[in-house]
Amino acid sequence: MQTHNPHMYQDDENRDQKKKTGNEKYSYYKMFGYFNRKFKINELGPPDDVIDVFKLYSKDESEMLPDGFLRFLIEFQGEERVTIQDVERFMVRVIDPARSDLTRCAFTVNDLFQYLLLDDINGPIKTEAHHDMTAPLQHYFIYTGHNSYLTGNQLSSDSSEKPIIKALQKGVRGIELDLWPSNTKDGINVLHGRTLTTPVTLHKCLKSIKEHAFEKSPYPVMITLEDHLTPSLQAKVAEMVTSTFGDMLYYPKESDKEQFPSPEALKNQIILSTKQPKEYLQSKNVDKERSSDDEPEDQRSNSDEAAAAATNEGCTVSNRDCTKEACSSTTQPLSKILGAGYEDNDDDSDDDDDDDDYIEDENYRPQKALEYKHLIAIRAYKPKNGTRNALRDDPGKAKRLSVSEQALEKAANDYGDEIVRFTQKYILRVFPKGTRVTSTNFKPLTAWMHGAQMVAFNMQGYGRSLWMMHGMFRSNGGCGYIRKPAFLMGRGPNDEVFDPKAELPVKKTLKVKVYMGDGWRLDFSQTHFDSYSPPDFYTKIYMAGVSADVAKKRTKVIGDDWTPVWNEEFTFPLTVPELALLGIVVQEYDVDSDDFAGQTCLPVAELRPGIRVVPLYNKKGEKYKYVKLLMRFSFV
């Protein structure tokens, strides 16, 4: 965006000044406070392709009747299950009832054009859930957040229930909460431990989840808990969870040990996922109960808890110095908190493996902790002896494994087929590396290509990776669950699994035509892009997916025009269209640095053929009110 001396012009004089000469409209830009530059405003009209299809389905008449419009929707737009009643309803919505020439339900070419610009009816992808939701959970990609309570960066931002609410309203189904003791008796805070982030109470977070969990989607919300609590506080969590969620809370069943339930079976329910409390593991190796859970914390041994906390959170402070106070404080100097090689290892400690988590003799475990354990529907693990060892088959355990983005990348390069095999039976969660302190994100496609169900993202972050995440989960009506392609869940005749690196033939070719854009005059000020002239827009289109499918294209620059018309078509051969994402970014050309003017990302597998209106979003993923593109999608 260009910057200029504010004294060279007056803002109120530069607002969309228009003078009308005949049927033409102009906008005027003040130069140096003395001279006006005059630019014609081009009104948006139907492109030639729209005029041609209107002629075809109106049989060269001046009006298109409902039966012609119905044929257009079925044959040209590829609509399914549309009826004549639907058609008449659409037409009545578009036709101006005050029009003097209206004698019957019929479209002019301009009416058809206006219909095509309605994004709630004629958007690029389906708006309702349509995937089979009856398979076990590991068959789905799950919209997952990382440190869901943070409002900003990973080191010093505030913790709040507001980002959780926002994520749920966008369809996120995986919410992560880090649980730490508070300074008050029996208090539990949610915060990013051993940083300067401020806390929010667990009660606020749970209450917000209950109130907003199913506003966007009826499918289950999974709360992943990073637990740094004593047994007595774990018991407190159990009480809070059960009292807050009531019948919404899912209690694990014996059958869940072998196989996860389905999203359909878990509709409108909250499920908890975390590591099992150490007390259950230790109870197998002792002959009597530990001391009471209500024993004051200052009488408990600090050494074991400090070591466990260091393992859980990847603390860089040595075990000798990593006392409870050092590890949970949010007021330590930043250098002491982070250490020289700060790295956040996220949740799910390297707990001892347990061959039989369901202990038969309850005399060996505290009853309060038992209540907490029985709420854990999906048990979490982290690689203990390396990622490859953790990917082994473990019959009788329906589990969730968490690995960092670096571990996933290395495993994908060295033994990617083992990841795919693992994700056919278990759930794999991938979290951002700790050095992403500004809440950036990694590229998610490698994880998805290997079947990872939970790609945990900083939803408060920014950037192209987050746009990809938004785009992927526009699939299936934005419900937060996407059925994985069949090839990720199947085996070949020689027990082989999908290999993203394999050379594959082109399965289908996508043609994308960019007609025009509009809405910037309404969503931006007249001088937002250029103080002295209308903007110079161009569109970049890129394909993300397996390496063979990656491509970038761009239109020409349309100078000095708020309503650019490109009429350019691009072709994308695709070997794995099921995992391809179509990115669209509009930029305003500038000599120094191009300005952002809108973006969206669309799952190729969900694209609706035909002429479609494509709404654009800002850098944070928030939809503009008016900015849109008119495009055409076709598969050959």
Side-chain angles (χ1 to χ4, degrees):
M1 185 186 303
Q2 295 184 5
T3 57
H4 302 274
N5 187 336
H7 299 292
M8 297 174 72
Y9 60 90
Q10 297 296 319
D11 286 342
D12 58 338
E13 292 180 355
N14 274 335
R15 297 191 184 281
D16 200 11
Q17 300 181 35
K18 301 174 185 177
K19 294 185 179 179
K20 199 168 182 180
T21 305
N23 292 326
E24 296 182 343
K25 294 181 181 179
Y26 297 89
S27 61
Y28 291 81
Y29 287 77
K30 181 87 56 186
M31 290 286 292
F32 310 109
Y34 298 102
F35 307 105
N36 281 333
R37 297 186 71 191
K38 175 181 174 182
F39 295 91
K40 182 180 177 181
I41 297 176
N42 296 316
E43 297 298 328
L44 201 64
D48 290 342
D49 284 0
V50 173
I51 296 172
D52 290 341
V53 296
F54 179 83
K55 289 179 179 178
L56 176 63
Y57 289 98
S58 67
K59 298 179 180 179
D60 285 327
E61 299 292 335
S62 61
E63 292 181 329
M64 180 186 291
L65 299 178
D67 62 337
F69 186 40
L70 178 62
R71 287 192 301 112
F72 163 75
L73 292 178
I74 295 173
E75 297 173 7
F76 191 87
Q77 298 289 88
E79 300 288 0
E80 300 174 352
R81 297 186 298 275
V82 63
T83 66
I84 193 68
Q85 290 77 22
D86 296 327
V87 163
E88 291 175 350
R89 187 174 68 254
F90 297 156
M91 296 179 80
V92 167
R93 177 176 168 183
V94 172
I95 297 171
D96 183 0
R99 228 171 60 192
S100 59
D101 62 334
L102 182 63
T103 58
R104 55 181 175 169
C105 188
F107 266 0
T108 65
V109 66
N110 283 324
D111 292 330
L112 177 61
F113 181 51
Q114 291 305 312
Y115 164 82
L116 293 172
L117 295 176
L118 298 176
D119 63 14
D120 60 327
I121 299 176
N122 192 48
I125 58 177
K126 295 179 179 179
T127 57
E128 66 281 345
H130 55 279
H131 293 182
D132 175 19
M133 304 298 283
T134 61
L137 284 175
Q138 75 268 21
H139 288 249
Y140 300 86
F141 297 125
I142 305 171
Y143 204 179
T144 304
H146 172 257
N147 290 351
S148 305
Y149 48 86
L150 287 181
T151 58
N153 68 65
Q154 302 289 307
L155 298 182
S156 60
S157 65
D158 294 332
S159 301
S160 170
E161 73 280 7
K162 292 180 181 178
I164 298 173
I165 295 172
K166 188 175 181 180
L168 291 169
Q169 290 173 337
K170 287 187 173 183
V172 173
R173 300 290 85 188
I175 299 296
E176 182 187 26
L177 303 178
D178 294 357
L179 308 184
W180 294 84
S182 73
N183 294 328
T184 61
K185 182 181 180 182
D186 292 337
I188 301 169
N189 280 337
V190 174
L191 74 156
H192 195 198
R194 296 188 295 281
T195 68
L196 302 179
T197 57
T198 62
V200 60
T201 64
L202 176 60
H203 174 72
K204 280 187 177 180
C205 295
L206 297 180
K207 184 172 181 290
S208 297
I209 292 172
K210 177 185 179 181
E211 293 174 352
H212 300 278
F214 305 111
E215 286 183 10
K216 174 69 174 178
S217 168
Y219 293 104
V221 169
M222 185 189 303
I223 303 177
T224 58
L225 300 177
E226 185 177 340
D227 171 6
H228 305 274
L229 304 176
T230 61
S232 60
L233 289 179
Q234 289 175 345
K236 182 71 173 178
V237 171
E239 293 175 7
M240 293 174 67
V241 166
T242 52
S243 62
T244 301
F245 295 134
D247 293 340
M248 295 168 64
L249 184 65
Y250 177 76
Y251 290 85
K253 302 174 183 177
E254 187 72 14
S255 59
D256 295 347
K257 289 193 298 181
E258 297 289 340
Q259 181 168 273
F260 297 113
S262 70
E264 186 68 28
L266 294 170
K267 259 187 174 180
N268 298 305
Q269 291 193 285
I270 307 290
I271 52 182
L272 297 187
S273 178
T274 186
K275 61 184 182 294
Q276 57 186 346
K278 288 183 179 294
E279 281 68 25
Y280 303 122
L281 303 174
Q282 295 167 348
S283 67
K284 290 183 172 183
N285 302 315
V286 297
D287 295 322
K288 60 182 180 179
E289 290 186 4
R290 298 180 62 182
S291 57
S292 169
D293 293 323
D294 296 324
E295 179 181 354
E297 286 189 39
D298 57 4
Q299 295 180 22
R300 299 173 62 87
S301 169
N302 281 335
S303 59
D304 290 343
E305 292 186 11
T311 302
N312 286 345
E313 187 69 6
C315 182
T316 57
V317 183
S318 67
N319 287 345
R320 176 170 53 84
D321 297 327
C322 189
T323 63
K324 177 183 66 179
E325 291 78 18
C327 286
S328 62
S329 173
T330 58
T331 58
Q332 297 290 322
L334 194 58
S335 59
K336 184 174 181 180
I337 295 170
L338 302 181
Y342 169 72
E343 182 75 13
D344 178 9
N345 287 329
D346 210 78
D347 66 350
D348 310 326
S349 68
D350 298 348
D351 290 318
D352 298 328
D353 285 335
D354 181 31
D355 293 330
D356 184 8
D357 299 334
Y358 291 83
I359 302 171
E360 296 298 331
D361 189 353
E362 294 188 7
N363 293 328
Y364 285 112
R365 55 192 172 188
Q367 186 60 34
K368 286 187 177 181
L370 174 64
E371 296 170 1
Y372 181 71
K373 176 195 177 183
H374 282 174
L375 300 181
I376 303 173
I378 299 178
R379 300 202 176 152
Y381 298 82
K382 196 173 182 181
K384 182 180 180 182
N385 298 310
T387 302
R388 190 166 196 171
N389 183 65
L391 292 173
R392 72 185 189 277
D393 191 14
D394 202 357
K397 285 186 178 180
K399 62 183 180 180
R400 170 176 69 83
L401 177 69
S402 281
V403 299
S404 68
E405 62 173 283
Q406 308 104 303
L408 184 280
E409 195 72 34
K410 184 179 186 304
N413 287 330
D414 296 344
Y415 40 89
D417 61 323
E418 296 181 33
I419 305 175
V420 177
R421 293 177 195 277
F422 180 88
T423 57
Q424 291 180 348
K425 188 172 181 180
Y426 309 104
I427 291 176
L428 179 63
R429 176 178 175 270
V430 185
F431 56 85
K433 60 185 178 182
T435 51
R436 295 188 180 277
V437 294
T438 57
S439 295
T440 58
N441 291 292
F442 57 98
K443 294 180 180 179
L445 278 162
T446 297
W448 289 330
M449 289 174 197
H450 290 84
Q453 296 88 350
M454 303 181 72
V455 182
F457 259 36
N458 296 309
M459 296 299 172
Q460 79 279 22
Y462 53 89
R464 291 182 183 270
S465 293
L466 188 58
W467 299 350
M468 288 185 191
M469 177 66 71
H470 292 160
M472 181 69 161
F473 284 94
R474 291 188 176 108
S475 301
N476 201 24
C479 75
Y481 285 82
I482 303 170
R483 184 73 185 261
K484 292 200 289 186
F487 59 75
L488 279 174
M489 300 302 296
R491 305 280 180 98
N494 298 315
D495 202 41
E496 68 271 19
V497 294
F498 174 71
D499 180 3
K501 300 175 184 177
E503 292 187 10
L504 300 171
V506 172
K507 185 178 289 188
K508 61 174 63 175
T509 297
L510 172 65
K511 288 187 175 182
V512 177
K513 190 167 187 177
V514 187
Y515 290 113
M516 59 185 63
D518 191 25
W520 288 280
R521 277 188 297 170
L522 299 174
D523 277 320
F524 294 86
S525 69
Q526 178 169 312
T527 56
H528 178 88
F529 297 105
D530 196 315
S531 299
Y532 303 124
S533 66
D536 309 316
F537 289 129
Y538 67 95
T539 299
K540 295 193 295 186
I541 301 178
Y542 59 91
M543 187 66 67
V546 298
S547 58
D549 295 347
V550 173
K552 294 182 181 180
K553 314 278 187 177
R554 60 171 286 175
T555 68
K556 58 183 177 289
V557 176
I558 303 297
D560 298 333
D561 201 334
W562 283 99
T563 55
V565 176
W566 293 285
N567 280 322
E568 293 188 55
E569 187 172 65
F570 307 98
T571 300
F572 298 92
L574 301 172
T575 61
V576 189
E578 297 89 346
L579 294 176
L581 294 172
L582 182 70
I584 303 167
V585 181
V586 178
Q587 300 273 97
E588 197 272 335
Y589 176 77
D590 199 345
V591 174
D592 298 324
S593 177
D594 294 351
D595 299 328
F596 173 85
Q599 61 84 21
T600 192
C601 187
L602 302 170
V604 169
E606 299 270 323
L607 285 175
R608 301 164 74 191
I611 300 173
R612 303 291 176 179
V613 61
V614 179
L616 297 187
Y617 299 76
N618 64 19
K619 289 183 178 180
K620 295 181 180 180
E622 299 163 340
K623 184 180 175 183
Y624 289 121
K625 188 174 182 179
Y626 299 104
V627 176
K628 61 179 95 52
L629 300 177
L630 189 67
M631 305 180 68
R632 181 179 176 182
F633 306 106
S634 58
F635 291 96
V636 294

